[in-house]
Amino acid sequence: MSTTRKVLYFVVTIGVLLLLNQVFEHGVGDFQIRGYEARIVSLIGIAITLAVSLNLINGLAGQFSLGHAGFMAVGGYSATYVTVYHGQQIAGLIGSSLGEVAGAALVMPISLAVGAIAAAVAGLAVGVPSLRLKGDYLAIVTLGFGEIIRVIILNIPAVGGATGFTNTTPIANFFWIFAMAILTIVIVANIRSSTFGRALSAIREDEIAAEAMGINTTRYKVLAFVISAALAGVAGGLSGQLFANPLNPQNLNFVKSIEVIVMIVLGGIGSITGAVFGAATITILPEALRDVDRQFPGLRMVIYSLLLILLMIFRPQGLLGRKEFSVNWFRRRKAPLAPASTGGGADV
Amino acid sequence: MSDASAATAVLKVDAMTKRFGGLTAVRELSMDVPPGALYGLIGPNGAGKTTIFNLLTGVYTPTEGSIHFKGTDVAGRKPYEITKLGVARTFQNIRLFGDMTVLENVMTAHHIRSRQVLLDAVVGTPRHRHEERETRDRAMELLKIFDLDGVANEGATSLPYGNQRRLEIARALATEPSLLLLDEPAAGMNPQESIDLMKLIGWLRDEFKLTILLVEHNMKVVMGICERIQVIDYGKCIALGTPDEIQKNPAVIEAYLGGA
Ligand SMILES: Nc1ncnc2c1ncn2[C@@H]1O[C@H](COP(=O)(O)OP(=O)(O)OP(=O)(O)O)[C@@H](O)[C@H]1O
Ligand SMILES: [Mg+2]
């Protein structure tokens, strides 16, 4: 893609997102998006950022992290803290030179940047000691880390402690949520098709051979882990500043981490489109099953688990495997005598 | 040991010992490999040949002794550092990147010669695109040499055994080494494939100005192309010389006939 094309894509994407944001908030004519639906769509966007970023470390680099909720918490609380306690200052400071509108609009990205940096630093602190060792230390260390973060947050009154961070301003809108989801997808996709991405795949496939190819495996694993953590922090920052969606330490425990893992396992570990699909499905599924739950309390979780067990039995590599969903699949299917095996998306 | 002798040899090993608990896998081994040599390392099963390779490439650290590569002490260095200095290897039990294509396997190895910065990749700068193309072209050139360009986009482990071994050599060459270590490259090949490989190894040495260290059980291959052969038994050097000298050496005959 040439640079001009890239700028063009960028501008168009921003334009479309702004337009959709407008529709999202104010509707068009009679068409209005209800608060409930708007909330689900927002949660899907955040889930996409979470799942695609986790895929970088779990899927591409093959390092099993159980701490995504922890990084989400670090980033989320930091970002939300910045907005709640310094948002007006930031808006005023920027507003005095760039105008009031810009001042108000830039609080969100600044808070997200702070969240990303905080989560990245946490990622570095967790990643350096645990990724130097071979084996599954990362899973254990990240699990412990998530719980430690949760306990720490419980004991900080300024961010709400056990009651959650409730006194926030809901400035996470459609635009920022999906801008960050797209940014995450672009970052992970670009990394994957680069020298760095190939090095990560090599580490996943055979660490000894990767070292023999001149790859500093520790450095690359840590780098991937830090990027993944930073993006989880962004997702946290969005989540904490969503309307009526306060951050609560109880919702950011390891069950949340596992939920994100389920998303990428469902879609196919390593596949970006798979992660997007998994994020949407796992966000919608509990909602769709809510009616069932009303009649048969608890059945929702049973169905949910059953679906996952069936998936593990019949398609352990996830719906898409490592492949990416693309329109070419349909073209290929039309061709005479085309092998049907590549179109693995539909057969569950 | 004088620095002058370390400088003339590409690889100079001095009294290297490796113990695994009570087992001494390599015992006071010394090697002196001159530049451009095709140097054979033979010995019965379990003699310690692979362990020597692992020591030379940093997978293991010697318990005692030193390893100098082009005058630099590399004992105890990390494998990736040693590769960067110009030592590449293949593995006895093939270690390809299974879930990647033939082409990607070779492109990955070109990694260390890349000037790419992570940010280039994330943003997708022209420099990044240019380097990607260059890496791809170079990898394809290497694959052509090994007659693997036709299967560039196949999964690496879908290749027949012999081709997997050849792909490992191509991948090792992509790191642009000056010393290449081959651990039983002809294992699992039929006689014709072995002969072809033998010729190819000799040609590669001249073409890429390599020094090659070869571990091989196929005596035809070893005697056919190596100029110097070192025989290891129970981790110790029992003979060193030209193929003719080695074939006549009573200690070698004893080790091979008496052992096994
Ligand atoms: N990591 C290890 N831990 C313990 N013992 C080891 C280790 N690696 C090798 N050994 C032992 O060291 C000895 C030498 O093994 P090595 O693999 O180097 O032999 P080799 O000459 O390559 O044999 P082959 O011809 O069968 O490949 C063997 O007794 C082996 O069991
Ligand atoms: Mg061996």
Side-chain angles (χ1 to χ4, degrees):
Chain A
M1 220 196 302
S2 73
T3 311
T4 35
R5 277 268 288 284
K6 223 172 249 164
V7 173
L8 189 73
Y9 274 126
F10 181 73
V11 172
V12 169
T13 308
I14 298 284
V16 169
L17 281 175
L18 284 171
L19 204 74
L20 286 173
N21 190 58
Q22 197 64 20
V23 174
F24 209 70
E25 281 172 2
H26 306 291
V28 214
D30 287 343
F31 177 73
Q32 297 286 337
I33 295 172
R34 286 191 299 137
Y36 176 70
E37 268 98 37
R39 192 184 147 79
I40 303 283
V41 172
S42 301
L43 290 177
I44 289 175
I46 293 170
I48 289 173
T49 303
L50 278 174
V52 174
S53 61
L54 184 68
N55 222 352
L56 181 64
I57 189 75
N58 281 35
L60 195 60
Q63 308 298 312
F64 203 76
S65 165
L66 273 168
H68 228 46
F71 296 115
M72 191 185 172
V74 170
Y77 273 91
S78 314
T80 311
Y81 181 88
V82 166
T83 306
V84 169
Y85 292 100
H86 302 288
Q88 302 224 297
Q89 263 166 277
I90 294 170
L93 213 65
I94 298 171
S96 63
S97 53
L98 293 176
E100 226 169 276
V101 180
L106 288 177
V107 173
M108 188 74 212
I110 288 170
S111 75
L112 290 181
V114 171
I117 292 167
V121 170
L124 197 66
V126 174
V128 168
S130 50
L131 288 166
R132 268 171 48 200
L133 307 165
K134 307 236 181 315
D136 287 330
Y137 294 95
L138 188 67
I140 297 156
V141 174
T142 47
L143 187 69
F145 158 78
E147 291 306 291
I148 291 169
I149 286 300
R150 208 167 56 79
V151 173
I152 291 176
I153 291 168
L154 278 173
N155 291 295
I156 305 178
V159 294
T163 42
F165 205 170
T166 47
N167 56 332
T168 56
T169 8
I171 55 172
N173 55 11
F174 181 92
F175 174 82
W176 284 113
I177 289 170
F178 282 87
M180 289 302 120
I182 291 170
L183 181 73
T184 304
I185 291 171
V186 169
I187 289 175
V188 174
N190 281 352
I191 285 177
R192 192 173 57 170
S193 61
S194 72
T195 301
F196 180 46
R198 277 191 298 274
L200 293 178
S201 299
I203 291 169
R204 176 194 70 223
E205 292 301 313
D206 192 320
E207 220 168 310
I208 290 179
E211 285 256 338
M213 295 304 119
I215 295 165
N216 182 345
T217 52
T218 306
R219 184 164 168 267
Y220 276 77
K221 284 190 285 185
V222 169
L223 210 53
F225 189 64
V226 167
I227 294 171
S228 169
L231 292 169
V234 169
L238 292 165
S239 177
Q241 303 183 68
L242 196 62
F243 180 70
N245 190 53
L247 289 170
N248 190 314
Q250 303 314 339
N251 301 331
L252 292 169
N253 56 10
F254 80 95
V255 175
K256 179 69 187 175
S257 292
I258 289 180
E259 190 182 295
V260 187
I261 289 171
V262 170
M263 289 174 190
I264 59 176
V265 168
L266 176 74
I269 264 193
S271 163
I272 294 172
T273 40
V276 171
F277 176 78
T281 310
I282 296 301
T283 310
I284 293 170
L285 204 62
E287 300 299 330
L289 293 174
R290 208 171 278 268
D291 284 340
V292 178
D293 213 37
R294 218 162 278 142
Q295 284 173 330
F296 306 99
L299 190 64
R300 185 168 67 124
M301 289 323 280
V302 174
I303 294 178
Y304 193 66
S305 331
L306 259 165
L307 279 176
L308 289 177
I309 292 169
L310 287 177
L311 182 82
M312 286 297 114
I313 293 171
F314 293 107
R315 208 166 162 82
Q317 73 273 47
L319 293 181
L320 297 187
R322 243 176 226 298
K323 297 192 191 76
E324 292 300 342
F325 177 81
S326 100
V327 249
N328 287 338
W329 285 9
F330 300 106
R331 292 204 198 119
R332 219 180 298 155
R333 282 220 189 115
K334 273 188 206 151
L337 293 174
S341 61
T342 42
D347 54 297
V348 182
Chain B
M1 185 202 68
S2 77
D3 277 343
S5 69
T8 48
V10 164
L11 180 69
K12 183 154 173 57
V13 177
D14 227 30
M16 177 172 74
T17 296
K18 178 67 187 177
R19 275 188 286 269
F20 295 109
L23 177 95
T24 306
V26 177
R27 199 182 298 259
E28 290 184 10
L29 182 84
S30 294
M31 293 170 82
D32 216 322
V33 185
L38 226 163
Y39 194 103
L41 207 55
I42 64 172
N45 286 110
K49 306 177 294 294
T50 299
T51 306
I52 293 170
F53 271 21
N54 284 336
L55 288 161
L56 296 180
T57 54
V59 177
Y60 299 146
T61 305
T63 315
E64 278 156 37
S66 69
I67 305 167
H68 281 83
F69 172 66
K70 287 183 173 172
T72 314
D73 188 357
V74 296
R77 293 261 190 119
K78 290 261 166 51
Y80 70 87
E81 292 175 319
I82 294 175
T83 307
K84 277 188 183 148
L85 290 173
V87 182
R89 72 174 292 184
T90 63
F91 295 90
Q92 182 175 357
N93 49 338
I94 304 176
R95 285 178 177 271
L96 288 169
F97 305 126
D99 219 1
M100 298 165 77
T101 66
V102 169
L103 179 65
E104 283 169 342
N105 264 270
V106 180
M107 286 175 77
T108 302
H110 190 250
H111 165 89
I112 44 167
R113 307 297 165 206
S114 155
R115 294 172 305 276
Q116 258 182 46
V117 195
L118 179 57
L119 205 62
D120 281 336
V122 171
V123 184
T125 59
R127 175 162 65 160
H128 170 247
R129 286 197 298 277
H130 178 256
E131 270 234 1
E132 277 292 296
R133 206 170 315 123
E134 211 176 53
T135 304
R136 186 174 299 266
D137 292 347
R138 296 183 59 103
M140 281 309 282
E141 270 170 42
L142 273 173
L143 287 178
K144 253 187 213 117
I145 293 174
F146 288 84
D147 235 346
L148 291 168
D149 48 325
V151 289
N153 293 316
E154 312 255 316
T157 40
S158 73
L159 298 183
Y161 205 63
N163 278 349
Q164 290 194 26
R165 289 219 176 272
R166 289 148 54 85
L167 174 56
E168 264 213 340
I169 302 177
R171 186 180 69 172
L173 283 175
T175 66
E176 300 178 12
S178 48
L179 175 65
L180 179 63
L181 315 184
L182 303 173
D183 199 346
E184 303 200 20
M189 288 188 179
N190 64 37
Q192 185 55 47
E193 285 177 323
S194 304
I195 290 169
D196 291 345
L197 181 75
M198 192 172 92
K199 286 183 192 145
L200 183 64
I201 290 173
W203 181 85
L204 289 173
R205 190 241 329 233
D206 301 337
E207 180 72 17
F208 291 91
K209 312 259 178 306
L210 297 168
T211 305
I212 295 180
L213 208 57
L214 177 72
V215 166
E216 184 52 64
H217 277 299
N218 186 330
M219 284 305 143
K220 252 207 196 118
V221 172
V222 178
M223 298 297 168
I225 57 171
C226 293
E227 292 124 15
R228 252 178 122 64
I229 295 172
Q230 189 164 15
V231 190
I232 314 291
D233 195 17
Y234 294 108
K236 271 178 82 102
C237 171
I238 57 164
L240 174 65
T242 64
D244 278 344
E245 290 164 359
I246 294 298
Q247 271 163 317
K248 289 188 210 119
N249 190 310
V252 176
I253 295 165
E254 164 67 18
Y256 269 88
L257 298 181

mmCIF file of all heavy atoms in Angstrom, chain A residues 150-168:
data_model
loop_
_atom_site.group_PDB
_atom_site.id
_atom_site.type_symbol
_atom_site.label_atom_id
_atom_site.label_comp_id
_atom_site.label_asym_id
_atom_site.label_seq_id
_atom_site.Cartn_x
_atom_site.Cartn_y
_atom_site.Cartn_z
ATOM 1 N N ARG A 150 -5.851 -7.075 41.699
ATOM 2 C CA ARG A 150 -7.225 -6.969 42.172
ATOM 3 C C ARG A 150 -7.246 -6.583 43.658
ATOM 4 O O ARG A 150 -7.983 -5.679 44.064
ATOM 5 C CB ARG A 150 -7.910 -8.321 41.985
ATOM 6 C CG ARG A 150 -9.395 -8.269 41.792
ATOM 7 C CD ARG A 150 -9.890 -9.614 41.316
ATOM 8 N NE ARG A 150 -9.510 -10.689 42.220
ATOM 9 C CZ ARG A 150 -10.136 -10.950 43.366
ATOM 10 N NH1 ARG A 150 -11.171 -10.220 43.734
ATOM 11 N NH2 ARG A 150 -9.736 -11.935 44.131
ATOM 12 N N VAL A 151 -6.408 -7.245 44.419
ATOM 13 C CA VAL A 151 -6.375 -6.960 45.857
ATOM 14 C C VAL A 151 -5.863 -5.543 46.116
ATOM 15 O O VAL A 151 -6.384 -4.832 46.984
ATOM 16 C CB VAL A 151 -5.502 -8.010 46.590
ATOM 17 C CG1 VAL A 151 -5.317 -7.634 48.045
ATOM 18 C CG2 VAL A 151 -6.130 -9.392 46.458
ATOM 19 N N ILE A 152 -4.886 -5.121 45.358
ATOM 20 C CA ILE A 152 -4.375 -3.756 45.530
ATOM 21 C C ILE A 152 -5.486 -2.742 45.269
ATOM 22 O O ILE A 152 -5.711 -1.821 46.055
ATOM 23 C CB ILE A 152 -3.173 -3.496 44.581
ATOM 24 C CG1 ILE A 152 -1.970 -4.334 45.024
ATOM 25 C CG2 ILE A 152 -2.817 -2.005 44.552
ATOM 26 C CD1 ILE A 152 -0.769 -4.229 44.107
ATOM 27 N N ILE A 153 -6.209 -2.940 44.160
ATOM 28 C CA ILE A 153 -7.269 -1.999 43.807
ATOM 29 C C ILE A 153 -8.352 -1.955 44.886
ATOM 30 O O ILE A 153 -8.847 -0.889 45.248
ATOM 31 C CB ILE A 153 -7.876 -2.369 42.437
ATOM 32 C CG1 ILE A 153 -6.839 -2.113 41.336
ATOM 33 C CG2 ILE A 153 -9.142 -1.568 42.170
ATOM 34 C CD1 ILE A 153 -7.198 -2.690 39.998
ATOM 35 N N LEU A 154 -8.672 -3.113 45.409
ATOM 36 C CA LEU A 154 -9.674 -3.186 46.486
ATOM 37 C C LEU A 154 -9.332 -2.255 47.638
ATOM 38 O O LEU A 154 -10.206 -1.775 48.351
ATOM 39 C CB LEU A 154 -9.770 -4.621 47.014
ATOM 40 C CG LEU A 154 -10.637 -5.594 46.230
ATOM 41 C CD1 LEU A 154 -10.501 -7.001 46.782
ATOM 42 C CD2 LEU A 154 -12.090 -5.146 46.262
ATOM 43 N N ASN A 155 -8.042 -1.995 47.802
ATOM 44 C CA ASN A 155 -7.610 -1.208 48.945
ATOM 45 C C ASN A 155 -7.251 0.235 48.619
ATOM 46 O O ASN A 155 -6.580 0.897 49.400
ATOM 47 C CB ASN A 155 -6.437 -1.915 49.627
ATOM 48 C CG ASN A 155 -6.900 -3.188 50.302
ATOM 49 O OD1 ASN A 155 -7.684 -3.151 51.242
ATOM 50 N ND2 ASN A 155 -6.468 -4.315 49.773
ATOM 51 N N ILE A 156 -7.658 0.704 47.435
ATOM 52 C CA ILE A 156 -7.430 2.117 47.109
ATOM 53 C C ILE A 156 -8.778 2.842 47.092
ATOM 54 O O ILE A 156 -9.550 2.705 46.148
ATOM 55 C CB ILE A 156 -6.725 2.273 45.747
ATOM 56 C CG1 ILE A 156 -5.422 1.449 45.720
ATOM 57 C CG2 ILE A 156 -6.428 3.746 45.465
ATOM 58 C CD1 ILE A 156 -4.692 1.513 44.401
ATOM 59 N N PRO A 157 -9.074 3.597 48.147
ATOM 60 C CA PRO A 157 -10.384 4.266 48.228
ATOM 61 C C PRO A 157 -10.609 5.283 47.095
ATOM 62 O O PRO A 157 -11.740 5.463 46.642
ATOM 63 C CB PRO A 157 -10.340 4.979 49.581
ATOM 64 C CG PRO A 157 -9.148 4.440 50.291
ATOM 65 C CD PRO A 157 -8.225 3.859 49.303
ATOM 66 N N ALA A 158 -9.536 5.913 46.632
ATOM 67 C CA ALA A 158 -9.675 6.945 45.601
ATOM 68 C C ALA A 158 -10.300 6.395 44.318
ATOM 69 O O ALA A 158 -10.904 7.131 43.540
ATOM 70 C CB ALA A 158 -8.318 7.567 45.289
ATOM 71 N N VAL A 159 -10.170 5.085 44.087
ATOM 72 C CA VAL A 159 -10.756 4.506 42.888
ATOM 73 C C VAL A 159 -11.943 3.593 43.241
ATOM 74 O O VAL A 159 -12.317 2.723 42.465
ATOM 75 C CB VAL A 159 -9.713 3.736 42.030
ATOM 76 C CG1 VAL A 159 -8.682 4.693 41.475
ATOM 77 C CG2 VAL A 159 -9.046 2.626 42.830
ATOM 78 N N GLY A 160 -12.484 3.800 44.405
ATOM 79 C CA GLY A 160 -13.735 3.116 44.748
ATOM 80 C C GLY A 160 -13.592 1.825 45.520
ATOM 81 O O GLY A 160 -14.590 1.306 46.017
ATOM 82 N N GLY A 161 -12.407 1.273 45.614
ATOM 83 C CA GLY A 161 -12.226 0.023 46.354
ATOM 84 C C GLY A 161 -13.170 -1.062 45.876
ATOM 85 O O GLY A 161 -13.353 -1.259 44.679
ATOM 86 N N ALA A 162 -13.806 -1.726 46.854
ATOM 87 C CA ALA A 162 -14.656 -2.868 46.521
ATOM 88 C C ALA A 162 -15.956 -2.471 45.827
ATOM 89 O O ALA A 162 -16.585 -3.285 45.156
ATOM 90 C CB ALA A 162 -14.966 -3.669 47.772
ATOM 91 N N THR A 163 -16.381 -1.222 45.987
ATOM 92 C CA THR A 163 -17.650 -0.807 45.364
ATOM 93 C C THR A 163 -17.484 -0.496 43.878
ATOM 94 O O THR A 163 -18.460 -0.370 43.162
ATOM 95 C CB THR A 163 -18.233 0.439 46.057
ATOM 96 O OG1 THR A 163 -17.155 1.334 46.315
ATOM 97 C CG2 THR A 163 -18.951 0.081 47.328
ATOM 98 N N GLY A 164 -16.243 -0.384 43.436
ATOM 99 C CA GLY A 164 -16.017 -0.068 42.023
ATOM 100 C C GLY A 164 -15.811 1.420 41.808
ATOM 101 O O GLY A 164 -16.122 2.249 42.668
ATOM 102 N N PHE A 165 -15.274 1.747 40.641
ATOM 103 C CA PHE A 165 -14.939 3.130 40.300
ATOM 104 C C PHE A 165 -16.167 3.756 39.639
ATOM 105 O O PHE A 165 -16.332 3.707 38.431
ATOM 106 C CB PHE A 165 -13.754 3.109 39.332
ATOM 107 C CG PHE A 165 -12.924 4.357 39.347
ATOM 108 C CD1 PHE A 165 -11.703 4.378 38.681
ATOM 109 C CD2 PHE A 165 -13.334 5.504 40.005
ATOM 110 C CE1 PHE A 165 -10.901 5.508 38.670
ATOM 111 C CE2 PHE A 165 -12.547 6.642 40.005
ATOM 112 C CZ PHE A 165 -11.328 6.637 39.338
ATOM 113 N N THR A 166 -17.062 4.337 40.488
ATOM 114 C CA THR A 166 -18.376 4.718 39.969
ATOM 115 C C THR A 166 -18.524 6.184 39.573
ATOM 116 O O THR A 166 -19.327 6.520 38.707
ATOM 117 C CB THR A 166 -19.461 4.410 41.009
ATOM 118 O OG1 THR A 166 -19.010 4.897 42.269
ATOM 119 C CG2 THR A 166 -19.713 2.916 41.093
ATOM 120 N N ASN A 167 -17.744 7.048 40.204
ATOM 121 C CA ASN A 167 -17.965 8.481 39.955
ATOM 122 C C ASN A 167 -17.247 8.964 38.684
ATOM 123 O O ASN A 167 -16.532 9.934 38.680
ATOM 124 C CB ASN A 167 -17.480 9.295 41.160
ATOM 125 C CG ASN A 167 -16.024 9.018 41.476
ATOM 126 O OD1 ASN A 167 -15.521 7.928 41.205
ATOM 127 N ND2 ASN A 167 -15.337 10.008 42.028
ATOM 128 N N THR A 168 -17.447 8.223 37.576
ATOM 129 C CA THR A 168 -16.722 8.552 36.354
ATOM 130 C C THR A 168 -17.596 9.305 35.368
ATOM 131 O O THR A 168 -18.813 9.336 35.504
ATOM 132 C CB THR A 168 -16.235 7.264 35.667
ATOM 133 O OG1 THR A 168 -17.360 6.433 35.428
ATOM 134 C CG2 THR A 168 -15.240 6.523 36.533
#
